[in-house]
């Protein structure tokens, strides 16, 4: 029997009851190696846990189902997933187009690691599909997209970007961390690869670090699996188990994240200390129409700029109490941060530098009244 409902897949895909004991939760196979039935006689196909592990395999199957992909691969972190992907599809002399407001860690990987390895990159505003088309070169192997972007919540048209990438013989890679597969499925819109920091909404409880790739092509999945095993930055069994546990409640959590974010955005929009609010759910947001078309809802991430410059933004971060000052996002607790000094400090002085008066919120699932009251107090 197959199921299509997202919440059903989140609970059951790759997670059948244990055949021997009937346990309804996937066991944690905390082992490095496996007894073999004679030389080369692998019991169930397992030989060494870097290559394959039943707990990690359950997570990978679930991820593929949630993203409507052919194959999922779980990694030790989102950056490990990104690095493995890029070293699989790119070589010295190749070119990759990234967003003009990409995540700071992604920018750092390109600018300080891959650049020295001979991979060229170019930052392009990807909400402008024609700008991406003009930036394509014969050497372009991938268009690397985030939508919504981190931290300015810019929206790109995934289907249009897929067409541009395909016309140029390149892959479209979409970092779907901010939306999660509950809100957006890039592979169904033409993307070739989806990237996740599973640390964020998929894990959802700020207790595990991980990453994932999901692909729509079996051959690419095979190549990535080879590099995953060869390079070795895999998700451990307990980390995979924690991520699976988080995924089970992703749908209900995302509903609350989105509802709370809308309340926060409404309050910020009418506060005199706030200069501008970035949220794709706002009708005046430049990407609102595209987001409406390709997303189920608009997410739990909100950014805003304050009057008074950087000092005022820092004070808002310091005064918040329900919102915890910290990096990361997507957990059940609300977080507040100053991107320019924290998550995006590596982009300072570059074309990707973020505004100094910007504050980023990861809106959690607490009482919306308490969140609004906390921010109102911090702004005053």
């Amino acid at each position: 029997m197959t199921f299509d409902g997202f919440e059903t897949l989140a609970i059951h895909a790759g997670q059948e009851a244990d055949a021997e004991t009937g346990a309804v939760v996937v066991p944690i196979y905390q082992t490095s190696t496996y007894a073999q039935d004679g030389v080369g006689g692998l019991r169930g196909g397992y030989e060494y846990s870097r290559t394959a592990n039943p707990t990690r395999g359950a997570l990978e199957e679930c991820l593929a189902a949630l993203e409507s992909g052919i194959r999922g691969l779980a990694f030790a972190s989102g950056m490990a997933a990104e690095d493995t992907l890029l070293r699989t599809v790119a070589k010295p002399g190749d070119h990759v187009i990234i967003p003009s407001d990409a995540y700071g860690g992604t920018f750092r990987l390109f600018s300080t690691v891959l650049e020295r390895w001979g991979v060229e990159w170019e930052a392009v505003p990807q909400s402008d599909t024609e700008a991406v088309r003009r930036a394509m070169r014969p050497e372009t192997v991938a268009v690397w997209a985030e939508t919504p972007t981190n931290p300015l919540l810019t929206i790109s048209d995934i289907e249009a970007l897929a067409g541009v990438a395909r016309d140029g013989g390149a892959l479209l890679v979409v970092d779907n961390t901010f939306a999660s597969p509950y809100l957006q499925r890039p592979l169904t819109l033409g993307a070739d690869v989806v990237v996740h920091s599973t640390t964020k909404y998929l894990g959802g409880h700020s207790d595990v670090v991980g990453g994932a790739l999901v692909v729509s092509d079996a051959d690419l999945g095979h190549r990535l699996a080879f590099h995953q095993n060869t390079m070795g930055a895999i998700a451990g069994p307990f980390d995979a188990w924690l991520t699976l546990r988080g995924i089970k409640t992703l749908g209900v959590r995302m509903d609350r994240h989105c509802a709370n974010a809308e309340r926060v955005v409404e309050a910020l929009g009418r506060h005199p200390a706030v200069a501008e609010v970035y949220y794709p759910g706002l009708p005046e947001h430049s990407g609102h129409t595209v987001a409406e078309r390709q997303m189920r809802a608009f997410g739990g991430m909100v950014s805003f700029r304050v009057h008074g410059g950087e000092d005022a933004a820092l004070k808002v971060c310091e005064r918040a109490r329900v919102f915890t000052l910290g990096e990361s996002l997507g957990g059940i607790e609300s977080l507040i941060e100053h991107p320019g000094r924290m998550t995006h400090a590596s982009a300072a002085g570059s074309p990707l530098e973020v505004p100094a008066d910007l504050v980023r919120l990861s809106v959690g699932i607490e009482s919306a009244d308490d969140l609004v009251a906390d921010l109102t107090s911090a702004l005053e």
Side-chain angles (χ1 to χ4, degrees):
M1 185 179 295
T2 59
F3 301 99
D4 296 321
F6 184 91
E7 294 85 349
T8 307
L9 289 172
I11 293 169
H12 294 288
Q15 302 169 74
E16 294 80 9
D18 181 67
E20 183 174 344
T21 66
V24 297
V25 174
V26 173
I28 303 171
Y29 287 90
Q30 194 68 46
T31 185
S32 60
T33 193
Y34 305 82
Q36 299 188 19
D37 297 327
V39 176
L42 306 186
R43 195 178 305 175
Y46 297 101
E47 58 182 330
Y48 188 59
S49 275
R50 171 167 43 80
T51 306
N53 174 279
T55 314
R56 188 173 88 235
L59 171 59
E60 292 175 334
E61 185 177 341
C62 185
L63 289 167
L66 295 184
E67 285 286 6
S68 301
I70 293 292
R71 187 165 191 173
L73 300 138
F75 294 84
S77 70
M79 295 311 304
E82 292 189 15
D83 182 49
T84 302
L85 171 61
L86 287 163
R87 285 198 277 168
T88 301
V89 303
K91 63 184 184 304
D94 286 341
H95 172 250
V96 180
I97 296 170
I98 70 171
S100 56
D101 57 337
Y103 164 55
T106 300
F107 167 72
R108 184 172 56 237
L109 177 62
F110 278 98
S111 64
T112 65
V113 178
L114 293 168
E115 187 174 290
R116 290 190 292 108
W117 191 50
V119 174
E120 298 184 32
W121 59 276
E122 184 175 356
V124 177
Q126 293 184 0
S127 57
D128 184 348
T129 306
E130 290 308 308
V132 177
R133 190 183 300 277
R134 291 191 297 270
M136 295 288 291
R137 307 179 192 171
E139 304 81 23
T140 304
V141 294
V143 175
W144 189 285
E146 294 177 21
T147 181
T149 59
N150 181 4
L152 296 178
L153 297 162
T154 305
I155 299 295
S156 298
D157 187 325
I158 296 172
E159 193 169 11
L161 287 179
V164 170
R166 187 166 51 248
D167 290 346
L171 298 172
L172 175 61
V173 179
V174 177
D175 185 335
N176 202 29
T177 298
F178 265 30
S180 87
Y182 182 69
L183 300 184
Q184 178 174 272
R185 295 189 188 185
L187 297 182
T188 66
L189 298 171
D192 299 288
V193 187
V194 169
V195 177
H196 280 286
S197 169
T198 58
T199 310
K200 312 305 193 297
Y201 285 110
L202 286 164
H205 294 77
S206 302
D207 57 7
V208 62
V209 174
L213 300 173
V214 183
V215 298
S216 57
D217 176 74
D219 180 65
L220 178 56
H222 178 74
R223 290 165 57 204
L224 288 168
F226 174 83
H227 283 77
Q228 179 195 40
N229 180 48
T230 302
M231 294 156 66
I234 48 90
F238 186 49
D239 291 344
W241 185 88
L242 284 171
T243 305
L244 271 174
R245 185 183 65 168
I247 286 173
K248 291 177 187 290
T249 60
L250 179 62
V252 292
R253 285 189 286 105
M254 291 307 298
D255 285 341
R256 175 62 71 87
H257 284 300
C258 294
N260 280 357
E262 290 177 3
R263 286 283 309 278
V264 164
V265 166
E266 181 185 8
L268 291 173
R270 61 173 183 263
H271 199 287
V274 175
E276 186 174 5
V277 180
Y278 298 87
Y279 186 66
L282 290 169
E284 61 268 27
H285 187 285
S286 60
H288 177 72
T289 301
V290 174
E292 238 182 353
R293 184 174 73 245
Q294 67 188 22
M295 298 178 72
R296 184 197 299 243
F298 302 108
M301 299 302 297
V302 180
S303 292
F304 63 98
R305 299 176 72 173
V306 295
H307 296 296
E310 184 176 36
D311 286 346
L314 292 171
K315 286 177 181 176
V316 172
C317 293
E318 293 165 359
R319 290 171 179 160
R321 292 294 176 265
V322 181
F323 281 84
T324 300
L325 178 62
E327 299 189 2
S328 197
L329 58 102
I332 54 175
E333 66 289 307
S334 294
L335 299 176
I336 188 169
E337 68 125 357
H338 184 267
R341 296 278 191 99
M342 297 170 70
T343 52
H344 291 68
S346 62
S350 80
L352 280 73
E353 183 172 9
V354 298
D357 58 359
L358 186 74
V359 176
R360 192 191 75 180
L361 305 175
S362 174
V363 181
I365 65 171
E366 302 96 336
S367 164
D369 290 340
D370 290 335
L371 296 176
V372 169
D374 187 44
L375 287 174
T376 302
S377 175
L379 284 163
E380 293 172 354

